[in-house]
Amino acid sequence: MVVAIEGIITKKEPTFIIIKCASGLSYGVFISLFCSAKIHSQEKYELFITQIIKEDSNKFYGFLDKDEQKMFEMLLKVNGVGANTAMAVCSSLDVNSFYKALSLNDESALKKVPGIGAKSAKRIILELADAKNKLENVSDDKSEALAALISLGFKQDKILSVLASCQATSTSELIKEALKKLG
């Protein structure tokens, strides 16, 4: 799994870049319009990466801002929202506007995003409102353990209930304890 890429931007389009690493490898990375506005060709950057592997593709989605990456990954968990739609949201709403729309149940803000209609906006608000409320009560260590366990394929609701009963305080110990209970 690739978590970050550092290199020089050799090609830049509005939502896609090619970044050449010191090793000589070049990677194609999809980015949001907000990220694109901060990036300049022929300069060195480190991007946080969300890698999506499917049967017929292996794509990288890059972020300068960790919060934008979390927003993207939250959106991917919503039924009917794929990577293209999630990236469209990241390109249309900054992180603060997105969370404000969620907290205010503001469907109109989400409907301004290309590809999102009334039904999708309602689904995003409904599914992410629960996740946001649950995650606000989770410590940093538990948040990191949650992310690790989700990446292993466990369901978020089940992980949250197990983490609530865990006694460990460090991330690695929380993961070990949770894995025993989830197994």
Side-chain angles (χ1 to χ4, degrees):
M1 175 170 63
V2 177
V3 295
I5 297 175
E6 182 178 45
I8 296 174
I9 308 301
T10 57
K11 181 179 180 184
K12 179 184 168 196
E13 296 175 4
T15 59
F16 183 79
I17 59 168
I18 295 178
I19 185 168
K20 186 171 188 166
C21 300
S23 65
L25 285 174
S26 292
Y27 294 96
V29 181
F30 294 95
I31 57 173
S32 71
L33 292 174
F34 289 114
C35 185
S36 181
K38 298 174 188 173
I39 290 178
H40 305 287
S41 289
Q42 305 307 318
E43 290 188 20
K44 188 175 185 177
Y45 293 92
E46 180 179 22
L47 296 172
F48 300 108
I49 298 293
T50 297
Q51 183 178 14
I52 299 178
I53 301 172
K54 294 185 179 180
E55 286 180 19
D56 59 344
S57 67
N58 180 7
K59 295 182 179 177
F60 295 130
Y61 295 86
F63 307 91
L64 288 172
D65 181 12
K66 194 77 170 154
D67 290 331
E68 186 180 32
Q69 182 184 28
K70 284 181 184 178
M71 179 175 120
F72 176 79
E73 291 174 352
M74 280 177 65
L75 284 161
L76 290 177
K77 291 180 177 80
V78 175
N79 287 329
V81 175
N84 291 338
T85 303
M87 194 54 79
V89 173
C90 291
S91 291
S92 301
L93 298 171
D94 63 35
V95 175
N96 291 332
S97 299
F98 175 72
Y99 285 119
K100 184 177 178 184
L102 281 184
S103 64
L104 298 175
N105 296 326
D106 185 4
E107 292 176 29
S108 63
L110 292 171
K111 287 194 288 188
K112 291 177 184 174
V113 177
I116 294 187
K119 287 172 76 175
S120 295
K122 282 181 184 176
R123 187 178 316 117
I124 289 169
I125 288 172
L126 181 67
E127 290 187 30
L128 293 184
D130 284 346
K132 187 174 182 282
N133 291 338
K134 288 177 185 175
L135 292 175
E136 284 175 349
N137 299 322
V138 175
S139 70
D140 286 342
D141 287 326
K142 285 189 178 181
S143 178
E144 289 174 8
L146 173 67
L149 293 166
I150 287 173
S151 72
L152 292 173
F154 294 101
K155 298 284 184 201
Q156 181 173 312
D157 290 338
K158 191 169 185 178
I159 297 167
L160 285 170
S161 63
V162 167
L163 285 176
S165 67
C166 289
Q167 302 300 316
T169 55
S170 72
T171 303
S172 61
E173 292 299 317
L174 277 168
I175 293 170
K176 288 176 189 175
E177 187 177 341
L179 281 172
K180 287 178 185 174
K181 292 180 179 185
L182 287 167

